[in-house]
Amino acid sequence: MATESSRESTAWMLALDDRLRAAVGEHELIHLIEAPTLLEVPLSPYYCQRVILWNDLLLPAMDLAAWLWGREQPAQQERKLAGVVAYQPRMGAAEYGALLLSDIPTRARVSDTQACKLPEQPTGWRDLAISCFLDTETPVPILDLPLIFSGGLL
Amino acid sequence: MSQPVRNTLAELREIRALAKLTLGGYPWLLPQTEIKSLESPLDIDREVRAPQGIGAIALGGEWWPVYCLSGELRLLPQPPDSRRICALLDNGADRFGLLCDQVEALAEPPRLLALPACMGSPASPIQALAPLDEELGCVTNTEHLAALLAVLTEGAGGH
């Protein structure tokens, strides 16, 4: 996220549930959907059981809190927000997905000096995150969106 | 058993007519050409049973094993009361009956979209998704359902 000149950039801080926070780059979060209409897909994994129809696209609605805690979250129904994210699995081919959120994302300036180790718990962070930074003494993992949305969690 | 052929979205979009088979409230979409006949559940002979089937229907001098699947394609040993019609499926290689809540022809071909990569393995029987009015149809075909039934009946027989 940092540029060579400034070594500082902007991130979106995401509330995955009431305890878990993560971040994506400024240009990775492109839209916020309040009270999204979620359509159920049978045979799908417990952490991604629904899709959202958005701009003629079907976006997988990823519940990363469920994946990190290892079970479907009973509070999922209360999360009324979905953040639409863009990622680039290959050069020149932007793709989209949605993350279920429990609160409105906030912006933060992040510099390289804030780099830190991933949280030890939940252990799944090491699979989801490409790096991590400290925000007011709390480690905030930065999500690996191409891995998350291209089947890396299956 | 070999893996069923996985059609591309372009190939699926060439299917002229799809039928909606409702299973436990979930709409499953199959090529209409693969529906040989619609029969009453009253015609199911419960004494003629394939493994994990619920009976069989006689048609054209042959017995067609009949299965009952949940909306998420799990075998149900006892059909729910909502299952009111039996679709006999035939693709030339696989032939069986599926007990459904409802079967209807879609007047227009729906828009087909790919199943997101993070939602299913390549072996998933869902070949594509189709937004319908207030719901989401899952596109599959007789070959995929037959492969799934083979796995399910083998698994159930092993216990």
Side-chain angles (χ1 to χ4, degrees):
Chain A
M1 291 196 306
T3 62
E4 283 299 321
S5 55
S6 66
R7 315 293 283 179
E8 189 177 82
S9 59
T10 304
W12 283 105
M13 310 280 274
L14 310 175
L16 304 181
D17 66 6
D18 57 357
R19 292 166 62 190
L20 298 171
R21 285 199 306 164
V24 294
E26 181 181 23
H27 300 294
E28 289 181 311
L29 181 67
I30 60 171
H31 192 70
L32 200 61
I33 304 173
E34 203 171 350
T37 301
L38 298 165
L39 300 167
E40 195 167 345
V41 178
L43 305 174
S44 50
Y46 67 91
Y47 52 84
C48 191
Q49 297 185 318
R50 298 168 183 86
V51 293
I52 297 169
L53 194 55
W54 178 78
N55 283 357
D56 285 340
L57 298 171
L58 273 184
L59 306 182
M62 187 68 70
D63 184 352
L64 289 180
W67 191 85
L68 284 161
W69 296 124
R71 60 187 181 274
E72 190 172 0
Q73 297 298 288
Q76 181 170 334
Q77 299 304 326
E78 295 167 15
R79 274 177 285 156
K80 299 292 187 189
L81 283 173
V84 178
V85 290
Y87 61 97
Q88 209 152 10
R90 299 177 299 275
M91 286 300 292
E95 294 191 14
Y96 304 90
L99 296 171
L100 294 179
L101 304 173
S102 64
D103 206 350
I104 295 172
T106 56
R107 293 171 83 152
R109 295 293 291 171
V110 180
S111 76
D112 286 355
T113 59
Q114 291 169 257
C116 69
K117 286 184 181 175
L118 288 167
E120 291 189 2
Q121 296 294 332
T123 55
W125 279 127
R126 68 185 69 144
D127 297 316
L128 291 185
I130 47 175
S131 58
C132 191
F133 62 88
L134 271 180
D135 179 63
T136 56
E137 299 187 9
T138 303
V140 180
I142 299 171
L143 297 175
D144 183 349
L145 295 176
L147 177 131
I148 291 167
F149 285 103
S150 53
L153 304 184
L154 285 172
Chain B
M1 183 171 188
S2 61
Q3 288 286 322
V5 174
R6 188 146 197 93
N7 295 309
T8 63
L9 264 186
E11 289 168 330
L12 293 170
R13 286 171 179 150
E14 287 176 7
I15 299 172
R16 298 232 172 256
L18 288 166
K20 181 170 92 169
L21 281 64
T22 305
L23 304 174
Y26 288 81
W28 288 86
L29 308 182
L30 279 84
Q32 273 188 40
T33 52
E34 295 186 356
I35 299 181
K36 176 80 170 177
S37 172
L38 297 176
E39 304 291 334
S40 165
L42 297 174
D43 293 330
I44 298 173
D45 187 331
R46 309 273 173 171
E47 302 299 317
V48 184
R49 297 182 71 137
Q52 308 305 318
I54 58 164
I57 284 182
L59 183 76
E62 305 271 358
W63 284 107
W64 297 56
V66 177
Y67 299 92
C68 186
L69 293 172
S70 72
E72 296 198 308
L73 304 187
R74 295 192 188 94
L75 278 168
L76 297 177
Q78 287 296 327
D81 293 340
S82 60
R83 303 300 170 100
R84 297 187 185 129
I85 192 159
C86 182
L88 298 186
L89 306 178
D90 184 2
N91 63 2
D94 309 293
R95 196 173 58 194
F96 57 91
L98 199 56
L99 203 52
C100 305
D101 301 333
Q102 197 176 344
V103 177
E104 58 187 296
L106 294 184
E108 297 287 334
R111 196 160 53 94
L112 302 187
L113 301 164
L115 177 69
C118 58
M119 298 190 83
S121 69
S124 171
I126 301 176
Q127 295 196 291
L129 297 172
L132 304 173
D133 288 339
E134 296 287 319
E135 54 190 2
L136 192 64
C138 295
V139 180
T140 188
N141 62 23
T142 301
E143 184 185 14
H144 276 87
L145 291 179
L148 180 83
L149 282 169
V151 171
L152 292 176
T153 53
E154 191 176 309
H159 295 290

